[in-house]
Amino acid sequence: MTQPKNSIDIRHDKIVVIDAANRLTRMLANQIRDWQVFTVIHTAKVTSAELAAGNYRGIILAAPDPEHSELDPNYDLYRNPELAAAGFAKAIPEALLQTDLPLLWLIPTEAQVEFFRLIELSDRVGAVFYPVDAKVAQLTANGIIRDFVLKTCGCAADWSAENFIEDTVTRLRAELGSRQVICAFSGGVDSAVAAVLTHRAIGRNLTCIFVDHGLMRLNEPEDVERVYGRGFGMNLVCVNARQRFYAKLADVVDPEEKRRIIGAEFIRIFEEEAAKFGDADCLVQGTIYPDIVESGSAGGKLVKSHHNVGGLPDNMQFKQLIEPLRWLFKNEVRSVGLALGIPKEQVMRQPFPGPGLGVRIIGAITEERADILRSADAIFREELAAAGLAYEYSQYFAVLTDMRSVGVRAASRTYDYTVALRAVRTGDFMTAASAEIPYPVLHRVVARITSEVPQVNRVVYDITGKPPATIEWE
């Protein structure tokens, strides 16, 4: 199957952000996108040929954070502006200096220097020192980076959701013509936006296959049919495979094994359904830019493999893989979704893991336990929405633990499950702090769960940050 090219099919002015092991790289690239200028992330191993092919207007080099100083033998230069000025030609990757592009060097340091001031190192290279614990908002507050992008590099601020939709629809129509196309539709934000965008381009030539594995949130399969099947008039094939997944997952408690089984079974079912459309030779997936960067497919270092990046077998019937969102950050995907007319409650929905509730059920997965968690999770989300907090927190959900405890219901002893609630605030999902949900809201959530979900007699609230915990429990 032909993979999408890593060449950038974006006709707008572009800035390349070079990541030399700096924690702010992705957030900075995203911030520049908010200024309506397109950005691409590369590692410090980028070649001069790649830079030339990218047709960039300027370069931002994010130097290593102190904990990664071993990656750069010239790290001592980052501790002192005078040293940096004298030795920048040794510290900056040669390929970056072989271009004629303006370059801004961002240097995190623990040294006592003047921060957030532009230092001109040459006629085309400038540097800015900043404290190692700074956030992107502090780094961009004084306008140096914005002026570099818009004035020094002369970038036009014309990158927008509307322009992206217009350009992508035009490109997909020309590329796909009358070909039949299949979309792997999970119901999540990424695959939904990719499907609606492709549908706008080729209409009924797109068929979406949605596999209900029995681990979706309450009413999600019905919402998929209502919003996308009837609302957008898309060809939507809904496959009820709940019992098939429950049978495969019986007695499996290891979270990684759950993920493996759910992923493998999804692929098998998708293959079976896709084979019924023998004339379809293109596959649409909702891969987004962080997937590409983290999977090392766009010059980024490998952080983890993503199911959307090379996740389906190469021996499937499809000749071409279409990833219309592969250059978008998550917030941009949401903006495009809203601009396409997808309801806000669908576009702004909570992040949901690929295996669904399967990794929010601690221990064995059964249909009964999935139903218990579905109900508790729905109550939690309903009460936050009723309190005006639906979009206040970065992520929130319920977990069905494998712990049972003694309780009292109607003057009788019970021995039932404990549900854990989790809500966090985070800017990058790399670190997170627990959200301080008002106690009256939590009390209402607890009262409803313990009265409306009879198998639950205890609710706890997880206030652990990340680190040491992860956001998800499994």
Side-chain angles (χ1 to χ4, degrees):
M1 182 162 55
T2 302
Q3 302 289 319
K5 297 179 180 179
N6 277 331
S7 58
I8 304 159
D9 48 2
I10 301 294
R11 294 178 295 152
H12 301 267
D13 290 342
K14 298 181 285 291
I15 294 290
V16 60
V17 182
I18 306 299
D19 179 15
N22 187 300
R23 64 183 176 84
L24 297 183
T25 301
R26 191 187 308 181
M27 290 179 280
L28 179 61
N30 202 348
Q31 173 62 68
I32 296 171
R33 298 263 189 109
D34 284 346
W35 299 334
Q36 295 186 279
V37 175
F38 189 76
T39 53
V40 175
I41 297 173
H42 266 291
T43 70
K45 295 181 180 180
V46 64
T47 66
S48 55
E50 289 173 319
L51 291 173
N55 195 28
Y56 301 110
R57 299 298 300 266
I59 303 169
I60 294 178
L61 170 62
D65 291 318
E67 60 265 34
H68 300 298
S69 59
E70 76 283 354
L71 299 177
D72 193 330
N74 301 295
Y75 184 75
D76 284 343
L77 297 177
Y78 304 163
R79 300 180 183 278
N80 184 290
E82 287 73 23
L83 289 176
F88 75 89
K90 292 190 298 182
I92 294 176
E94 184 178 356
L96 306 187
L97 296 176
Q98 289 175 344
T99 74
D100 295 325
L101 298 174
L103 189 151
L104 184 62
W105 190 20
L106 304 178
I107 306 174
T109 183
E110 296 168 316
Q112 296 299 313
V113 300
E114 185 177 354
F115 295 128
F116 306 120
R117 180 175 70 87
L118 179 63
I119 303 170
E120 294 187 5
L121 304 181
S122 75
D123 58 351
R124 55 175 284 267
V125 180
V128 174
F129 283 82
Y130 67 91
V132 294
D133 59 351
K135 300 186 182 302
V136 164
Q138 295 172 280
L139 190 56
T140 59
N142 64 3
I144 290 176
I145 298 177
R146 186 183 180 105
D147 285 348
F148 173 78
V149 170
L150 298 177
K151 296 179 181 179
T152 304
C153 299
C155 291
D158 59 1
W159 170 252
S160 67
E162 291 75 16
N163 286 342
F164 172 79
I165 292 170
E166 181 180 353
D167 292 347
T168 304
V169 167
T170 299
R171 177 175 57 80
L172 288 175
R173 281 178 181 157
E175 185 175 345
L176 297 175
S178 60
R179 296 162 71 184
Q180 296 298 305
V181 179
I182 296 289
C183 175
F185 192 94
S186 70
V189 176
D190 301 337
S191 68
V193 173
V196 173
L197 189 60
T198 306
H199 179 259
R200 177 170 289 193
I202 63 173
R204 303 288 287 183
N205 288 343
L206 173 70
T207 299
C208 296
I209 298 176
F210 170 71
V211 178
D212 177 7
H213 50 34
L215 300 168
M216 309 295 289
R217 289 170 289 203
L218 189 66
N219 298 326
E220 280 192 321
E222 294 81 2
D223 287 344
V224 165
E225 173 60 32
R226 174 181 58 83
V227 174
Y228 302 102
R230 297 195 297 273
F232 281 95
M234 297 165 62
N235 288 329
L236 183 64
V237 177
C238 297
V239 183
N240 185 341
R242 294 184 174 203
Q243 298 307 319
R244 183 165 165 177
F245 276 90
Y246 292 147
K248 290 284 184 179
L249 292 165
D251 302 320
V252 177
V253 297
D254 179 75
E256 285 307 310
E257 183 66 6
K258 290 179 189 177
R259 291 177 182 272
R260 187 196 66 76
I261 291 172
I262 292 169
E265 195 63 17
F266 173 86
I267 290 174
R268 276 192 286 270
I269 294 172
F270 184 83
E271 285 180 311
E272 293 168 9
E273 294 298 321
K276 299 175 184 178
F277 299 87
D279 55 347
D281 63 357
C282 294
L283 174 67
V284 174
Q285 284 191 161
T287 309
I288 66 175
Y289 195 41
D291 299 338
I292 300 295
V293 172
E294 290 184 353
S295 299
S297 302
K301 61 182 178 180
L302 175 63
V303 176
K304 57 183 176 180
S305 297
H306 284 264
H307 66 279
N308 275 344
V309 184
L312 292 174
D314 286 335
N315 61 359
M316 293 186 72
Q317 70 199 44
F318 306 107
K319 297 178 181 177
Q320 185 176 356
L321 180 62
I322 307 295
E323 294 175 332
L325 310 180
R326 68 185 278 109
W327 297 110
L328 299 189
F329 287 102
K330 188 74 170 190
N331 58 305
E332 294 176 303
V333 174
R334 296 188 194 278
S335 296
V336 168
L338 292 172
L340 287 168
I342 300 175
K344 183 177 180 179
E345 62 269 19
Q346 291 287 316
V347 172
M348 303 304 294
R349 62 200 302 221
Q350 284 291 299
F352 198 49
L357 299 180
V359 290
R360 292 179 180 172
I361 297 173
I362 310 302
I365 297 172
T366 65
E367 184 172 11
E368 179 194 25
R369 299 192 77 210
D371 288 339
I372 292 170
L373 180 55
R374 242 189 296 275
S375 299
D377 182 75
I379 290 170
F380 188 27
R381 290 185 287 114
E382 287 169 9
E383 287 300 326
L384 288 180
L389 301 173
Y391 306 119
E392 182 68 20
Y393 310 123
S394 306
Q395 188 169 0
Y396 51 87
F397 53 89
V399 174
L400 181 63
T401 75
D402 56 355
M403 182 177 74
R404 304 182 79 165
S405 63
V406 175
V408 178
R409 190 189 301 273
S412 298
R413 178 187 184 276
T414 63
Y415 189 65
D416 288 323
Y417 287 110
T418 296
V419 162
L421 305 178
R422 180 87 159 130
V424 298
R425 292 182 184 274
T426 177
D428 58 6
F429 288 88
M430 303 300 292
T431 63
S434 65
E436 297 182 1
I437 298 176
Y439 270 155
V441 177
L442 285 175
H443 284 308
R444 287 195 295 273
V445 174
V446 172
R448 283 193 59 192
I449 290 176
T450 53
S451 63
E452 297 177 29
V453 187
Q455 303 93 334
V456 176
N457 66 1
R458 193 178 300 270
V459 179
V460 298
Y461 184 51
D462 180 0
I463 62 170
T464 319
K466 176 185 180 181
T470 54
I471 295 176
E472 295 283 351
W473 275 41
E474 289 194 339

